[in-house]
């Protein structure tokens, strides 16, 4: 008579990347409400950062203006922690709506040039951060955003001068070379926006927020090696898409050079009412964020209510 020893229950070991629902709540793929929340959050925070830059004076050293174009650490944090695509889609729109439009400095169709360039920069730069706790990747992403945005803008400026639709604006005390001026301006932007207000604060902020902000939105904190929701694909089709958007941005830039400013609106409220008018933009940001949070809460509570009703019906059926 043989005695059979029962084998231990097999453990369900799964290898590879996680997909779909995780622990019943969080997901690798974002829901529609989560995408909307990332979009609105990126738009509002980047718009608020640009409002702050409107107050800060731009210093200069001799003929060189030492100015900060953007607080790059804000959209980079949204892209690295949440979703590069939806953060990149919302951030430049926040600058247009809350800074240019409400401040009375809206150039119409010409604004699409800056939007496309900043979208590509944040989308690609945010996708470079594969590990939110890797400070080297964060620094590379911050500098990459500035390089992509400013190089595309410099190519547009050089193209305008080369075609002859605009004259070169030389600075007294500097070499009369448009290429030299663009390189000098790029260096200033990389140091001020890419490093001082980009890489340095981002290297502290992103690791500090990692694992803390995502659960508030029902999202799973990013884990190295897992797919990033909304990252830039590494395919030839995406490269062609990038080139197409870059060419499109050049086209919208040349519309402004030919004085085709459809939709332009420039009442210049800051000169009329002073810096106090910036509170209008801050109030608009607060309203947009409040509405987005309410909609996000409602969208999260509805599925849970449906699951409870389904569970109650199942229990009644069993009895």
């Amino acid at each position: 008579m043989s005695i059979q020893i029962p084998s231990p229950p097999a453990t369900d070991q799964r290898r590879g990347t996680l997909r779909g629902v995780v622990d019943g709540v969080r997901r690798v793929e974002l829901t529609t409400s989560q995408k909307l929340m990332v979009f609105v959050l990126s738009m509002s925070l980047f718009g608020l950062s640009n409002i702050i830059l409107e107050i800060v004076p731009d210093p200069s050293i001799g003929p060189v203006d030492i100015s900060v174009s953007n607080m790059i650490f804000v959209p980079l944090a949204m892209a690295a922690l949440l979703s590069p695509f939806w953060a990149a889609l919302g951030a430049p729109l926040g600058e247009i709506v809350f800074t240019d439009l409400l401040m009375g400095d809206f150039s119409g169709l010409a604004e699409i040039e800056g939007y496309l360039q900043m979208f590509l920069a944040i989308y690609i730069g945010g996708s470079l951060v594969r590990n939110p706790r890797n400070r080297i990747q964060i620094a590379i992403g911050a500098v990459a955003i500035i390089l992509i945005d400013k190089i595309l803008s410099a190519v547009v400026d050089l193209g305008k001068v080369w075609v002859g639709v605009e004259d070169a604006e030389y600075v007294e005390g500097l070499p009369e070379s448009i290429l030299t001026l663009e390189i000098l301006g790029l260096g200033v932007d990389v140091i001020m926006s890419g490093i001082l207000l980009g890489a340095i604060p981002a290297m502290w902020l992103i690791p500090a927020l990692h694992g803390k902000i995502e659960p508030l939105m029902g999202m799973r904190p990013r884990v190295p090696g897992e797919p990033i929701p909304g990252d830039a694909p590494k395919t030839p089709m995406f490269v062609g898409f990038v080139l197409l958007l870059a060419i499109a941005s050049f086209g919208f830039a040349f519309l402004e050079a030919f004085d085709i400013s459809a939709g332009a609106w420039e009442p210049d409220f800051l000169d009329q009412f002073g810096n106090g008018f910036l509170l209008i933009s801050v109030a608009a940001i607060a309203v947009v964020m409040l509405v987005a949070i309410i909609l996000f809460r409602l969208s999260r509570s509805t599925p849970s209510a449906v699951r409870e009703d389904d569970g109650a019906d199942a229990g009644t059926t069993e009895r």
Side-chain angles (χ1 to χ4, degrees):
M1 181 177 179
S2 60
I3 300 175
Q4 295 182 354
I5 300 175
S7 59
T11 57
D12 185 12
Q13 294 182 352
R14 298 178 181 179
R15 299 181 180 275
T17 59
L18 298 175
R19 298 182 182 275
V21 178
V22 180
D23 65 32
V25 179
R26 295 173 292 178
R27 299 173 56 92
V28 174
E29 296 85 5
L30 303 185
T31 62
T32 302
S33 60
Q34 289 170 342
K35 294 174 183 177
L36 176 62
M37 195 61 197
V38 175
F39 174 84
V40 174
L41 187 63
S42 178
M43 178 179 68
S44 302
L45 293 179
F46 194 56
L48 182 61
S49 68
N50 280 274
I51 292 174
I52 296 175
L53 289 179
E54 292 288 336
I55 306 174
V56 178
D58 295 334
S60 59
I61 301 178
V64 181
D65 292 331
I66 310 298
S67 61
V68 178
S69 57
N70 294 295
M71 294 185 180
I72 291 302
F73 72 92
V74 175
L76 179 61
M78 296 296 101
L81 294 172
L82 303 176
S83 171
F85 178 78
W86 293 102
L89 204 63
L93 185 61
E95 180 180 5
I96 293 175
V97 173
F98 298 117
T99 306
D100 298 335
L101 189 60
L102 291 182
M103 294 298 100
D105 188 19
F106 183 67
S107 303
L109 290 177
E111 296 288 350
I112 301 179
E113 173 209 353
Y115 179 88
L116 294 177
Q117 293 171 358
M118 183 57 72
F119 164 75
L120 289 175
I122 297 175
Y123 188 24
I124 297 174
S127 299
L128 293 177
V129 184
R130 314 299 297 183
N131 181 4
R133 295 188 179 275
N134 190 321
R135 288 180 168 81
I136 296 178
Q137 293 182 7
I138 295 172
I140 293 174
V143 175
I145 292 176
I146 290 297
L147 287 176
I148 295 172
D149 179 45
K150 299 305 177 182
I151 287 177
L152 290 176
S153 180
V155 172
V156 170
D157 294 337
L158 292 172
K160 290 178 181 179
V161 175
W162 181 68
V163 173
V165 296
E166 281 190 2
D167 296 329
E169 297 180 358
Y170 298 116
V171 180
E172 185 178 355
L174 294 178
E176 293 188 357
S177 169
I178 183 65
L179 182 60
T180 302
L181 296 179
E182 292 294 342
I183 294 175
L184 182 61
L186 177 63
V188 173
D189 287 326
V190 168
I191 294 174
M192 299 299 296
S193 300
I195 298 178
L196 294 182
L197 284 178
I200 293 177
M203 285 190 295
W204 167 81
L205 182 65
I206 294 176
L209 292 179
H210 181 240
K212 298 180 179 64
I213 188 174
E214 301 93 341
L216 299 177
M217 302 177 63
M219 298 171 57
R220 187 183 188 191
R222 181 182 297 183
V223 178
E226 292 185 351
I228 301 174
D231 65 333
K234 300 176 182 179
T235 60
M237 183 177 295
F238 177 72
V239 175
F241 174 72
V242 170
L243 294 177
L244 183 62
L245 287 185
I247 294 173
S249 69
F250 299 161
F252 285 108
F254 276 88
L255 288 179
E256 184 181 16
F258 287 111
D259 294 330
I260 302 176
S261 55
W265 188 60
E266 300 179 353
D268 207 354
F269 291 129
L270 284 181
D271 289 342
Q272 298 180 28
F273 304 103
N275 289 334
F277 193 79
L278 294 172
L279 295 177
I280 302 296
S281 293
V282 176
I285 292 174
V287 171
V288 170
M289 282 295 300
L290 181 61
V291 172
I293 292 173
I294 292 174
L295 293 176
F296 179 69
R297 293 296 183 184
L298 290 176
S299 65
R300 289 188 63 187
S301 61
T302 301
S304 61
V306 172
R307 285 194 299 268
E308 291 176 1
D309 293 340
D310 293 341
D313 293 341
T316 305
T317 304
E318 290 176 0
R319 288 195 297 268

